[in-house]
Every structure is written in structure tokens, then in C-alpha cells.
């Protein structure tokens, strides 16, 4: 929203005026990908998250066209995504990384997308690893891994907290996932 403020002063019978505009950005709405896709095209800013499904980085314009996907398979296209941190190509983003982005809802040829000028609010880059590589790695609070395996057993599925405890295996070992 914006407001124009006019200042008027008088000195020795002469009037002086100045006009200024103050702009305030609105709040950012947290949304799921389906909620974002169903939203109207206007000035509202949305925050959505998902894993990178595909990306095309432009070294020339320092932006990227990205498709993110949530856990249910819903996809959102991010047109000319930028980073406020540094040039987007310097981030080393790759498929599977987790993004939280902010931008406006727009469309192209009837397909919904996040408008040019959308930006990365945060991201987590994952290191692909086998189970044995993961188990041999140093304990760290700032390195995140993605591990693929076959489910051996499911100990618990908690519907209240929407999580599970299970054991997976690959050709290098097994891993208890709590």
C-alpha cells in the first residue's frame, strides 16, 4: 500500500511545498503449492516451498527457471528466480535441493507460475549418499543428506504427527530412520 504526504510551509509570505510517497509492502502469505496455484493474480506475495525438480540457470541474467515439487507431487514453476544472497549460479543449486521462495502469482499462456522477480528466501542443499557413506560421515548440523533405499520394515506410522519410524537398506547396508 502507498500513501502520498504533502508538506506545506510558509516563510515570509512565501508558500513552500513538498510531496513524498511512502510505500509499505504487504504481508507475505504462507501457502501450499495448490493454494498458490489457485490464488488470484494480484500484488499479493506468497511463500511456498518444495524440492527442485528441474532448473535452468542463466549465467547471463543471474537467474533461473525452476520447477519445485512438494511431497504430494504438486508442482510450481518459478519464472526467473533470483537470489538476494549472491548470483544464483554461485549457489550451486541442483535437483533435489529444498527451496523456500517468495513471489507473486502470475501465469503464462494460461499456466500458473510465480512471477519474474520471485526470490529465494532460504534453501537447503542435499548431499547424495549411500547408507555406508552416510554412516561413515562426521556428525554435522549443517550437512544434509539424501539417501535412497528399499524399506525393510515399518516399526510405526504416526498419523497425529504425520511421520514414521522404519528401516531401509541399499546395497551398502541398512539404516534405522526415526
Amino acid at each position: 500500500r502507498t500513501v502520498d504526504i504533502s508538506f506545506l510551509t510558509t516563510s515570509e509570505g512565501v508558500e513552500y511545498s513538498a510531496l513524498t510517497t511512502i510505500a509499505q509492502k504487504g504481508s507475505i502469505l504462507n501457502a501450499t503449492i495448490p493454494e498458490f496455484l489457485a490464488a488470484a493474480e494480484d500484488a499479493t506475495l506468497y511463500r511456498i516451498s518444495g524440492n527442485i525438480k528441474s532448473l535452468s540457470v542463466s549465467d547471463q541474467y543471474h537467474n533461473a527457471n525452476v520447477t519445485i515439487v512438494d511431497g504430494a507431487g504438486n508442482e510450481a514453476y518459478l519464472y526467473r528466480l533470483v537470489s538476494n544472497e549472491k548470483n544464483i549460479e554461485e549457489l550451486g543449486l541442483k535437483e533435489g535441493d529444498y527451496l523456500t521462495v517468495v513471489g507473486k502469482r502470475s501465469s503464462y499462456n494460461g499456466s500458473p507460475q510465480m512471477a519474474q522477480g520471485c526470490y529465494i528466501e532460504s534453501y537447503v542443499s542435499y548431499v547424495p549418499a549411500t547408507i555406508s557413506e552416510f554412516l561413515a560421515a562426521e556428525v554435522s548440523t549443517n550437512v544434509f543428506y539424501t539417501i535412497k533405499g528399499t524399506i525393510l520394515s515399518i516399526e510405526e506410522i504416526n498419523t497425529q504427527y504425520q511421520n514414521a519410524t522404519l528401516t531401509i537398506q541399499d546395497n551398502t547396508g541398512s539404516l534405522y530412520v526415526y
Side-chain angles (χ1 to χ4, degrees), residues 8-159:
L8 182 63
T9 61
T10 305
S11 176
E12 298 179 9
V14 178
E15 287 188 0
Y16 298 93
S17 65
L19 179 66
T20 188
T21 300
I22 298 174
Q24 178 188 28
K25 288 186 176 182
S27 62
I28 300 170
L29 300 178
N30 292 324
T32 63
I33 290 177
E35 291 168 340
F36 169 75
L37 297 175
E41 291 185 47
D42 57 25
T44 304
L45 291 174
Y46 294 92
R47 177 182 292 114
I48 61 174
S49 300
N51 293 90
I52 296 175
K53 180 178 179 181
S54 65
L55 77 156
S56 173
V57 176
S58 170
D59 293 337
Q60 180 180 1
Y61 298 109
H62 310 297
N63 61 35
N65 293 328
V66 179
T67 299
I68 61 171
V69 61
D70 66 15
N74 301 300
E75 297 181 6
Y77 184 71
L78 316 173
Y79 181 63
R80 294 193 176 179
L81 178 70
V82 297
S83 168
N84 293 332
E85 183 180 324
K86 55 175 105 173
N87 290 339
I88 202 159
E89 65 273 16
E90 295 173 22
L91 296 178
L93 297 175
K94 62 190 177 310
E95 289 181 18
D97 289 349
Y98 188 80
L99 298 178
T100 298
V101 297
V102 173
K104 296 177 186 175
R105 162 73 163 76
S106 70
S107 62
Y108 179 75
N109 287 338
S111 295
Q113 64 183 25
M114 192 165 271
Q116 179 175 347
C118 56
Y119 62 92
I120 298 172
E121 187 174 70
S122 66
Y123 69 98
V124 176
S125 186
Y126 293 99
V127 175
T130 64
I131 290 174
S132 65
E133 291 169 336
F134 173 75
L135 294 173
E138 286 188 37
V139 174
S140 173
T141 58
N142 60 357
V143 178
F144 299 90
Y145 295 91
T146 180
I147 301 165
K148 294 181 181 180
T150 303
I151 297 174
L152 285 178
S153 63
I154 300 173
E155 285 76 28
E156 177 189 11
I157 296 178
N158 188 316
T159 56

